[in-house]
Amino acid sequence: MKGGPTLPLPESDQELREFLDQAAFGLRFVGPDGRILWANRAELQLIEGSLDECIGHHIAEFLLDPKTAADLLDRVARKEAVESYPTRIRTRSGSTRQVLIDGSGLFRNGHLVHSRFVTRDITGLLDREQGARHRVEATSHLKDEFLALLSHELRTPLGAILVWLGLLRQGGFDPAERERALEIIERSARALERIIEDLLHASRIAAGGLMLHPQLVDLAGIVQIAVDAAAGDAALKALSLVCDRGTLPVWVKGDPGRLQQVLSNLLSNAIKFTPTGGAVKVTLDVAQQQARLQICDTGEGMSAAFLPLAFERFRQQDTTSTRAHHGLGLGLYVVRHVVGNHGGFVSAESPGPGRGSVFTVLLPLAAHHSPEEGPPRPSRGRRDGRPPDGLTVLLVDDEEDVREALRLILQQNGMIVTTATSAGEAFELLLRMQPDILLSDIAMPGEDGLSLIRRVRLLPPLGGGMIPAAALSAYAGTLDRRQALLAGFQHHVAKPVDPAQLLDVIADLAQRKQNP
């Protein structure tokens, strides 16, 4: 090339041969009769043979399909390009390798002198591709199983609710039967709530969005709360539920709500898999500068094969349609990640099926804290009293059933309630009525609750711009809560709304109005 750099050429044929011999892919020269004239190191390694076992041998000896050799030689002889020709070769040890072959010929005076073939081993690539395909298929199968399981788990409590509601409408129940029906409906609704919570927690964990609000926590108190909450379920199965948490507080740095969730999931798991008349024991102590929590049960236990999978998402020991226990296989998955995010470790042990299980949680103790120190002060958002009578509340929700249920709760607690079905209607009512409290849904057609509160906050203080407000939303993620607070709400309450929690929130909002 004119004006271009002068490229140094090999000084001898020997230098060129050494360069080709060290190439990372297989090279060989083949005579017109198909016999190998020369092969480099990579080619010899590919066929697992020596130079003597290769030179002078026909290429058909190394190809799994003998017709391939004739096809390759014929194409080169016709001066056709051979590019990425897929085939399989046979090694001297008897194994096979998947390869791609490129080839061309050297011609002089129209006669083929020899063929030049380049061999690329793609066995590893195909194995990885097949492995990835199998993993995708396994994931897809697991997803299909999970969706079928989810459908079943949702329909079971939903079916119970609908059946018992139908029976209540028919009437004829005595007070005891009516109370039992209401208990079943409530228990089924709580089961639906737990399923949704498990799905939300698993989704947050998978997206890396599990948020913690760490503070100084007495783990002994958390244990007692969880045990008290599980006592009713244990009593239904006549289980012995024993708690040994010692007499001194065990201080850790953590999110109390998440830690209680860990305890609740482990206790729920133990109670579920322990047969009637069995025993569940909860022990809390300190070992090697760590808080150690153990939940032991006399239940079904786990096989050695299942133990390594116990904390994986959607994993269950029995996934058949005849399984005795319900669940999505998410509880222990959530436990592992919550404990891990607290700097702790959780493990499971079992002597085998039918011989019970032991779950152990280890959490680091809070640094520089003595047992005499008290717990952190409660946040402002929690009030022990009830909202004052005569409080005027503007309630906004486009769902009639939810709106009417909330209205009834508020009125039964002495509040004067005005309802609105849209953000636009609510804004007009707020300007005209000047209520004490605003409670608004987030997801509504047209204009949502976030837009409503932003408009309200633009009003002058005497025009309602400073009204205490809480968002009521089925979007219960950490990001959803943050968006609601940034938009101008003082509280975010997840649906389905717990009446006691709602009254606490309203009490706090009323306090804010008195002491802005």
Side-chain angles (χ1 to χ4, degrees):
M1 183 181 292
K2 189 175 181 180
T6 301
L7 299 176
L9 296 174
E11 296 181 3
S12 65
D13 289 346
Q14 181 62 29
E15 183 180 351
L16 181 59
R17 281 178 178 273
E18 289 178 358
F19 173 73
L20 295 176
D21 197 42
Q22 295 173 7
F25 38 80
L27 298 173
R28 58 185 164 179
F29 292 169
V30 178
D33 60 353
R35 296 188 179 277
I36 300 171
L37 305 174
W38 174 84
N40 72 346
R41 293 179 187 177
E43 185 73 25
L44 296 176
Q45 290 173 356
L46 190 59
I47 64 171
E48 300 176 4
S50 65
L51 200 60
D52 291 339
E53 292 174 313
C54 181
I55 302 301
H57 291 263
H58 199 280
I59 61 171
E61 295 181 31
F62 303 99
L63 296 170
L64 207 61
D65 184 358
K67 295 180 181 178
T68 300
D71 187 32
L72 286 170
L73 293 171
D74 186 55
R75 291 190 183 200
V76 172
R78 296 199 308 266
K79 298 184 179 181
E80 291 182 10
V82 177
E83 296 179 350
S84 299
Y85 190 103
T87 187
R88 290 183 296 168
I89 65 170
R90 182 190 295 110
T91 69
R92 284 297 184 186
S93 66
S95 62
T96 60
R97 310 289 292 178
Q98 295 281 347
V99 298
L100 295 177
I101 296 178
D102 297 283
S104 63
L106 174 64
F107 292 85
R108 287 179 183 156
N109 300 321
H111 296 285
L112 176 65
V113 178
H114 62 252
S115 303
R116 298 166 292 197
F117 292 110
V118 179
T119 309
R120 288 172 288 156
D121 185 6
I122 60 169
T123 307
L125 178 64
L126 292 178
D127 288 344
R128 290 192 294 273
E129 180 183 327
Q130 187 176 37
R133 187 183 304 115
H134 286 163
R135 287 192 295 273
V136 169
E137 290 172 355
T139 300
S140 177
H141 180 67
L142 192 62
K143 182 190 71 174
D144 292 341
E145 279 188 350
F146 169 71
L147 290 176
L149 181 61
L150 176 60
S151 174
H152 175 269
E153 292 299 310
L154 290 173
R155 288 175 182 273
T156 299
L158 187 60
I161 291 172
L162 293 175
V163 166
W164 283 98
L165 283 175
L167 292 173
L168 284 174
R169 283 200 179 95
Q170 291 177 12
F173 281 177
D174 61 34
E177 290 173 332
R178 181 180 179 82
E179 184 63 27
R180 178 169 176 268
L182 292 174
E183 287 177 358
I184 292 173
I185 291 172
E186 181 181 5
R187 190 161 59 245
S188 299
R190 295 295 181 192
L192 284 173
E193 185 180 28
R194 282 195 298 271
I195 291 171
I196 294 170
E197 283 297 315
D198 282 346
L199 289 171
L200 284 174
H201 289 313
S203 175
R204 289 172 195 148
I205 290 169
L210 183 65
M211 298 293 292
L212 299 178
H213 302 283
Q215 61 187 61
L216 203 57
V217 179
D218 175 14
L219 195 56
I222 296 290
V223 168
Q224 191 61 56
I225 291 172
V227 169
D228 290 344
D233 291 336
L236 287 174
K237 297 181 69 175
L239 300 180
S240 167
L241 179 57
V242 178
C243 177
D244 180 7
R245 61 183 184 86
T247 57
L248 294 176
V250 178
W251 297 103
V252 297
K253 193 72 176 291
D255 185 320
R258 297 296 188 195
L259 291 175
Q260 185 174 337
Q261 180 186 19
V262 166
L263 268 293
S264 297
N265 283 8
L266 292 174
L267 272 173
S268 175
N269 201 65
I271 291 170
K272 180 198 300 185
F273 291 103
T274 300
T276 300
V280 176
K281 183 176 181 180
V282 182
T283 306
L284 175 66
D285 59 12
V286 174
Q288 299 179 348
Q289 296 302 306
Q290 295 185 98
R292 180 175 62 185
L293 173 72
Q294 286 191 319
I295 295 91
C296 308
D297 65 65
T298 60
E300 296 180 4
M302 290 174 280
S303 66
F306 181 74
L307 271 174
L309 308 174
F311 294 98
E312 291 190 10
R313 184 170 49 169
F314 309 140
R315 292 288 187 176
Q316 298 191 71
Q317 188 161 227
D318 182 3
T319 59
T320 65
S321 61
T322 57
R323 64 198 182 107
H325 306 289
H326 299 296
L328 296 176
L330 290 173
L332 294 181
Y333 170 77
V334 171
V335 165
R336 183 185 68 179
H337 283 273
V338 171
V339 171
N341 275 270
H342 280 81
F345 177 75
V346 61
S347 61
E349 301 172 72
S350 177
R355 301 175 64 186
S357 302
V358 179
F359 286 86
T360 303
V361 176
L362 299 175
L363 292 168
L365 293 173
H368 310 300
H369 189 83
S370 64
E372 288 77 16
E373 292 184 58
R377 295 179 180 177
S379 65
R380 182 183 180 183
R382 189 79 180 171
R383 300 286 167 182
D384 294 329
R386 60 189 298 278
D389 290 337
L391 203 63
T392 58
V393 178
L394 176 57
L395 173 64
V396 192
D397 201 306
D398 63 306
E399 293 288 342
E400 181 179 1
D401 292 344
V402 174
R403 188 175 63 248
E404 289 306 302
L406 292 174
R407 180 186 61 80
L408 187 59
I409 292 171
L410 300 181
Q411 287 180 339
Q412 287 178 344
N413 283 273
M415 286 168 254
I416 301 170
V417 184
T418 301
T419 60
T421 60
S422 68
E425 180 186 2
F427 190 75
E428 293 179 3
L429 287 170
L430 187 143
L431 292 175
R432 189 166 66 249
M433 294 177 47
Q434 296 290 301
D436 296 320
I437 303 291
L438 171 63
L439 303 177
S440 176
D441 186 20
I442 295 294
M444 294 184 289
E447 183 181 5
D448 64 15
L450 298 179
S451 174
L452 169 62
I453 195 63
R454 291 189 188 106
R455 289 174 62 193
V456 169
R457 294 303 179 220
L458 292 175
L459 295 172
L462 295 179
M466 299 293 290
I467 182 173
L472 313 177
S473 177
Y475 293 100
T478 302
L479 181 59
D480 303 307
R481 181 178 182 277
R482 184 183 300 122
Q483 287 178 337
L485 298 180
L486 288 175
F489 289 104
Q490 280 92 5
H491 284 277
H492 176 275
V493 181
K495 292 181 178 178
V497 173
D498 179 359
Q501 181 192 10
L502 180 60
L503 294 177
D504 281 338
V505 166
I506 293 174
D508 179 68
L509 293 176
Q511 184 69 23
R512 288 173 185 265
K513 185 172 179 63
Q514 294 175 5
N515 303 298

